[in-house]
Amino acid sequence: MELVTVLQLPQQPTPSFAIDFGVRFSSSSTTNSSPLRVMCSALSTPSSLGQIALNCTEVVKSEKGNLVETVESSQSTSLLDLIDQCKNTMQLKQIHAHMLRTSLFCDQYTASKLLTAYAISSCSCLIYAKNVFDQIPQPNLYCWNTLIRGYASSSDPTQSFLIFLHMLHSCSEFPNKFTFPFLFKAASQLKVLHIGKVLHGMVIKASLDSDLFILNSLINFYGSSGAPDLAHKVFTNMPGKDVVSWNAMINAFALGGLPEKALLLFQEMETKDVTPNVITMVSVLSACAKKFDLDFGRWICSYIENNGFAENLILNNAMLDMYVKCGSMNDAKDLFNKMIDKDIVSWTTILDGHAKLGNYDEAHCIFDAMPHKGTSAWNALISAYEQNGKPREALTLFYEMQLSKDAKPDEITLICALCACAQLGAIDFGHWIHVYIKKHDINLNSHLATSLLDMYAKCGDLDKAMAVFQSVERKDVYVWSAMIAVMAMYGRGKAALDLFSSMLEYNIKPNAVTFTNILCACNHAGLVNEGEQLFKQMEPVYGIVPQIHHYVCIIDIFGRAGLLEKAASFIEKMPIPPTAAVWGAFLGACSRHGNVELAELAYQKLLQLEPCNHGAFVLLSNIYAKAGNWEKVSNLRKLMRDSDVKKEPWCSSIDVNGIVHEFLVGDNSHPFSQKIYLKLDEISEKFMSIGYKPDMSNLLQLSEEDNLTEQSLNVHSEKLAIAFGLISTASSQPIRIVKNIRICGDCHAFAKLISQLYDRDILLRDRYRFHHFKGGKCSCLDYW
DNA sequence: TTAGGGTTAG
């Protein structure tokens, strides 16, 4: 019982209730001869189902020919059969109209058949289902369950709970073994752990906790809601398990980030003599894909081949996905070419596989070869570009999609496009998408809202990000976490902590991402004690086991605050082996605080794990430069030249009137390059005229951006972008810059002075956070 | 008289 919360519920059926039920049942029988019923009977011409069918056929014939073929072959087809044979909502509405005209609707059984068709068939239409339900005088439990079931699979599963609550008050029958699987389905869709736990309590109280269907749907619910441990408790304690129970549990492990447990469970099935089915194999392939276990994946594929599984599209897609995720494009291509049936999932999987490996030409070929280029096809390519560091290409495609008339952007397209805008700092394009959302009345759900507020924040408009956050009616953990991340990015630690408290007050349970963001906020604001406390509470209070990135955050918090010894002893006591990121954070702290001895230790540890880490070279050489040890700086440079250290092209970009301009270090490829360098000369003179002397220690230091084969005095990309901003934007406009690495000390001082001398706000986003330069000061208060 | 659970991508 410690597993669930049991709330105050209606009493279980008792013998006295059974008698009461009987009485009510007989009184409800009286309804059959109620005045309404009598009237209906009198109005109803047909007296047999055969006649009803005939009559209905005539109606259909006269109004629309669609159903004629279906019913003409059998005159005796009943109305109920006709409902089952409906192929679209229009046909169903015709029968509905006929039922109303002939008063057949007054028969509850017939009405409930119509309700079922409207609620759950292939021609479902939930608004009509609700309408029909509301017209039934005293809906029985079957009708209530059907409506709950319909909404559980809809885009608005919350309705299932509202209907259920209404049912508890209005229906004379208690929820039964059919009710709960539908409710757990709705809870799974919404991932609302607290509601599911209450329902679990009701199941126990109603003595339904041995029903196989309920327990299987419960495993699925806990698995979908991020609680594989609770799913496993249900699974372990259930008296009898069938293949569905095993499948649900395998899937719960895979979904819960425990793919190795999913694979072990599959192996255990054999020892328990449970025969796996197609769904088992799909779930196991999904676990292999999540574990990047190509060997096991290949073994599963041969198992499928050797055990006579019939050709199945979903199974083929799962194999395809496994090959792609495990990095074997050759296997994936072979399978894809062999597949007779392909759907949008097959095409998208193979397309994304090519794009992830950077084979954009092949990805485009796949896109061009797709038989139906609907929205999904466009989304596949746009998201492939966006998620693989090609935001400019993603936005170009998004633009092309607007021009093509075969597909309209949907929520996913817009999310991808917003993410691309955020990466580029393209605020004008991002704002245009916001207007598009409003103009087309697109529902601002939590996914879209999260992308929108993230875009505004990353493009430097905190007010708009906040406004979007406040406009979201139902804020889930992702929306809250995203807003906390925004506050972290802007160095507003206190505001992030306030948001965290508010989300707890709203009963939103923080997840691992929330903690990464809140620890990051503490880090950027120097809130050492608060960060340490939250980290200590993660497991005992919130049930979240700290992962490696949480450890990195806490080391960063200590290190940035200069508590190097504390950080070092923390690393020593870590229960998991320190990774390169851990040593990188520690090395950064040593560099900032000039501790040569500890830096050398961290450098050695880091290079053992990542021999080609370019950042490690730069950080250590900065420390040597600061300490005036030029010989060691020179040795490091030589070592770096000789080694195979590779770095991504670091750049700064600036959005001017909707066009994003990119600059590399010492870049002179821009059409306005000459003007930019003239502006930099002017700035330099202006700086000197007020007696500003560049910080030589800064200038002599290496930045990550410096090309080590040349002098380190190259003009950093953000200086070029700022100079371009000054000559190409109105003096009232802020300059918005995005840089893909951390800003160096010299450029930080440069931006502060520009903001003062030119009276310009500069909003600069670096790899980790935002800097708002205004009147000679930075929002980070020089703590970054 | 009616019915229910587990699967693939982005």
Side-chain angles (χ1 to χ4, degrees):
Chain A
M1 282 300 285
E2 83 285 356
L3 194 66
V4 292
T5 319
V6 180
L7 287 193
Q8 193 62 39
L9 300 167
Q11 291 289 308
Q12 279 183 52
T14 57
S16 65
F17 173 77
I19 294 163
D20 187 31
F21 185 88
V23 172
R24 287 190 205 183
F25 185 75
S26 53
S27 74
S28 107
S29 303
T30 344
T31 327
N32 289 339
S33 53
S34 67
L36 183 68
R37 173 76 193 174
V38 172
M39 194 172 72
C40 288
S41 304
L43 288 169
S44 173
T45 325
S47 56
S48 72
L49 290 175
Q51 273 181 286
I52 293 167
L54 188 61
N55 194 309
C56 187
T57 308
E58 283 162 1
V59 171
V60 170
K61 260 183 180 170
S62 60
E63 291 176 3
K64 190 118 185 170
N66 312 19
L67 259 185
V68 177
E69 277 181 27
T70 343
V71 291
E72 264 187 345
S73 57
S74 165
Q75 290 281 309
S76 61
T77 309
S78 73
L79 183 89
L80 300 180
D81 290 333
L82 274 180
I83 292 175
D84 287 341
Q85 287 165 19
C86 278
K87 288 198 172 67
N88 54 50
T89 315
M90 180 57 79
Q91 294 178 342
L92 205 52
K93 284 179 185 170
Q94 288 165 10
I95 294 177
H96 188 178
H98 172 77
M99 282 173 66
L100 288 169
R101 197 174 303 164
T102 56
S103 301
L104 275 166
F105 191 85
C106 296
D107 175 62
Q108 193 183 74
Y109 184 73
T110 315
S112 67
K113 282 291 182 189
L114 183 68
L115 168 69
T116 307
Y118 271 137
I120 56 175
S121 74
S122 58
C123 36
S124 68
C125 174
L126 279 167
I127 296 170
Y128 274 79
K130 182 72 172 50
N131 224 322
V132 167
F133 179 85
D134 288 340
Q135 308 275 320
I136 300 173
Q138 279 180 300
N140 61 14
L141 188 54
Y142 173 84
C143 296
W144 285 100
N145 285 345
T146 302
L147 200 59
I148 291 171
R149 182 184 171 193
Y151 277 108
S153 312
S154 77
S155 57
D156 188 11
T158 311
Q159 290 300 323
S160 294
F161 299 134
L162 297 175
I163 294 158
F164 176 63
L165 289 175
H166 189 187
M167 179 186 126
L168 289 176
H169 286 100
S170 313
C171 181
S172 59
E173 300 166 76
F174 284 110
N176 64 2
K177 61 179 185 171
F178 294 107
T179 318
F180 288 102
F182 307 142
L183 291 169
F184 285 126
K185 173 109 178 174
S188 305
Q189 305 281 98
L190 294 166
K191 305 185 195 323
V192 279
L193 198 55
H194 57 293
I195 293 180
K197 283 183 176 177
V198 171
L199 293 170
H200 190 175
M202 293 178 88
V203 165
I204 293 171
K205 192 149 190 205
S207 302
L208 290 167
D209 54 333
S210 55
D211 183 274
L212 188 61
F213 283 81
I214 290 178
L215 292 173
N216 287 345
S217 59
L218 198 48
I219 293 171
N220 181 50
F221 155 70
Y222 280 130
S224 310
S225 308
D229 49 336
L230 297 182
H232 196 230
K233 267 191 186 176
V234 175
F235 179 78
T236 312
N237 295 327
M238 63 196 289
K241 302 174 183 64
D242 65 2
V243 67
V244 178
S245 327
W246 287 83
N247 292 349
M249 195 59 235
I250 288 172
N251 215 32
F253 277 143
L255 279 177
L258 302 164
E260 61 288 343
K261 288 197 175 180
L263 299 183
L264 284 172
L265 203 65
F266 168 68
Q267 288 166 323
E268 199 186 322
M269 275 178 93
E270 200 165 37
T271 64
K272 297 278 163 51
D273 282 334
V274 187
T275 310
N277 61 14
V278 174
I279 296 174
T280 321
M281 304 325 295
V282 172
S283 304
V284 171
L285 285 165
S286 171
C288 291
K290 288 190 171 79
K291 201 170 169 262
F292 310 114
D293 192 338
L294 182 60
D295 290 340
F296 202 96
R298 281 191 174 135
W299 186 86
I300 292 294
C301 291
S302 53
Y303 180 96
I304 289 166
E305 209 170 308
N306 298 334
N307 283 272
F309 283 94
E311 181 87 9
N312 176 296
L313 180 59
I314 295 179
L315 188 55
N316 277 339
N317 285 345
M319 286 196 267
L320 204 56
D321 178 54
M322 183 277 296
Y323 284 136
V324 167
K325 294 247 170 72
C326 295
S328 180
M329 276 310 284
N330 285 338
D331 282 320
K333 277 194 274 186
D334 285 349
L335 175 61
F336 183 78
N337 292 335
K338 266 190 253 165
M339 281 167 64
I340 298 159
D341 285 334
K342 297 183 184 88
D343 64 1
I344 185 67
V345 178
S346 336
W347 286 95
T348 312
T349 306
I350 199 87
L351 188 157
D352 195 54
H354 283 303
K356 277 210 165 68
L357 290 173
N359 300 331
Y360 292 102
D361 288 343
E362 287 199 56
H364 256 288
C365 284
I366 296 280
F367 177 72
D368 293 338
M370 283 172 94
H372 306 291
K373 258 193 273 308
T375 303
S376 303
W378 284 94
N379 286 354
L381 199 56
I382 291 173
S383 71
Y385 275 124
E386 180 266 309
Q387 289 182 14
N388 293 290
K390 300 261 177 197
R392 196 181 277 274
E393 289 79 355
L395 288 182
T396 307
L397 260 179
F398 177 68
Y399 180 71
E400 280 173 24
M401 186 183 183
Q402 311 293 308
L403 300 178
S404 88
K405 297 210 170 106
D406 57 354
K408 264 179 71 181
D410 66 4
E411 182 201 316
I412 295 169
T413 328
L414 297 172
I415 289 172
C416 292
L418 284 168
C419 289
C421 292
Q423 286 179 48
L424 285 168
I427 194 165
D428 287 352
F429 210 145
H431 183 67
W432 183 87
I433 295 172
H434 193 181
V435 172
Y436 183 96
I437 291 167
K438 284 182 186 164
K439 199 172 152 192
H440 290 81
D441 211 17
I442 295 168
N443 176 34
L444 197 63
N445 63 21
S446 66
H447 283 163
L448 200 49
T450 303
S451 306
L452 196 55
L453 76 87
D454 184 68
M455 180 279 295
Y456 274 128
K458 285 184 176 157
C459 291
D461 199 330
L462 181 59
D463 291 342
K464 281 219 172 76
M466 191 50 128
V468 171
F469 173 74
Q470 280 164 346
S471 74
V472 185
E473 281 177 24
R474 282 174 44 207
K475 299 180 184 64
D476 63 12
V477 64
Y478 301 101
V479 177
W480 283 98
S481 303
M483 201 60 218
I484 290 171
V486 169
M487 290 307 181
M489 207 191 297
Y490 280 77
R492 303 198 180 187
K494 178 72 177 50
L497 288 170
D498 288 345
L499 275 172
F500 185 73
S501 304
S502 298
M503 80 176 272
L504 295 179
E505 279 167 23
Y506 278 98
N507 279 327
I508 306 291
K509 191 176 174 261
N511 62 20
V513 175
T514 322
F515 273 97
T516 308
N517 297 348
I518 193 76
L519 290 174
C520 190
C522 291
N523 182 24
H524 287 166
L527 301 170
V528 179
N529 291 336
E530 291 83 347
E532 194 176 4
Q533 278 310 309
L534 280 166
F535 181 83
K536 282 182 182 165
Q537 288 172 353
M538 278 181 72
E539 199 169 353
V541 179
Y542 300 99
I544 298 165
V545 179
Q547 295 158 13
I548 195 70
H549 47 273
H550 299 115
Y551 285 93
V552 174
C553 282
I554 205 83
I555 289 155
D556 225 6
I557 289 178
F558 292 149
R560 207 165 288 244
L563 305 168
L564 296 180
E565 299 294 339
K566 192 166 182 174
S569 97
F570 188 84
I571 296 175
E572 255 177 44
K573 290 179 196 151
M574 274 174 60
I576 42 179
T579 57
V582 168
W583 290 113
F586 186 61
L587 179 60
C590 297
S591 163
R592 215 166 285 121
H593 297 281
N595 189 321
V596 178
E597 197 184 328
L598 285 176
E600 285 178 334
L601 168 86
Y603 174 80
Q604 293 301 335
K605 296 276 189 190
L606 183 47
L607 254 60
Q608 279 169 16
L609 297 164
E610 275 181 10
C612 291
N613 190 308
H614 171 256
F617 282 95
V618 173
L619 286 172
L620 191 66
S621 57
N622 276 354
I623 298 173
Y624 288 146
K626 212 177 225 176
N629 193 336
W630 301 110
E631 195 188 334
K632 285 196 172 174
V633 171
S634 163
N635 289 342
L636 261 182
R637 285 185 180 206
K638 187 174 180 306
L639 188 63
M640 191 162 170
R641 270 197 299 272
D642 297 344
S643 67
D644 192 25
V645 178
K646 288 203 174 60
K647 54 176 187 169
E648 58 178 303
W650 288 311
C651 65
S652 295
S653 57
I654 175 168
D655 181 340
V656 175
N657 300 327
I659 299 170
V660 178
H661 302 256
E662 278 179 349
F663 295 92
L664 299 170
V665 59
D667 201 341
N668 54 15
S669 62
H670 193 274
F672 289 178
S673 189
Q674 211 175 353
K675 286 185 183 172
I676 291 169
Y677 280 95
L678 281 174
K679 191 74 185 172
L680 281 173
D681 290 343
E682 176 204 302
I683 292 168
S684 179
E685 279 175 28
K686 220 168 180 171
F687 278 16
M688 276 158 69
S689 70
I690 59 159
Y692 171 78
K693 285 182 185 162
D695 181 348
M696 286 311 283
S697 69
N698 253 338
L699 274 179
L700 288 170
Q701 275 182 58
L702 292 168
S703 141
E704 284 177 85
E705 196 168 359
D706 287 317
N707 180 348
L708 294 175
T709 59
E710 296 168 18
Q711 287 294 311
S712 64
L713 296 173
N714 268 329
V715 185
H716 284 178
S717 57
E718 61 265 55
K719 285 182 183 161
L720 294 168
I722 289 172
F724 179 64
L726 284 173
I727 59 177
S728 58
T729 57
S731 55
S732 56
Q733 273 184 289
I735 296 172
R736 298 173 195 277
I737 294 181
V738 175
K739 184 174 165 66
N740 65 352
I741 53 163
R742 190 192 294 276
I743 185 171
C744 79
D746 184 47
C747 289
H748 196 265
F750 177 87
K752 278 202 294 187
L753 210 50
I754 292 277
S755 73
Q756 187 181 11
L757 294 179
Y758 288 81
D759 192 23
R760 277 292 190 107
D761 281 20
I762 300 172
L763 291 142
L764 188 146
R765 185 181 102 214
D766 73 10
R767 190 173 197 148
Y768 302 96
R769 62 172 299 161
F770 241 98
H771 299 266
H772 184 175
F773 301 96
K774 188 184 175 70
K777 289 182 179 159
C778 180
S779 60
C780 76
L781 302 173
D782 300 338
Y783 191 88
W784 84 95

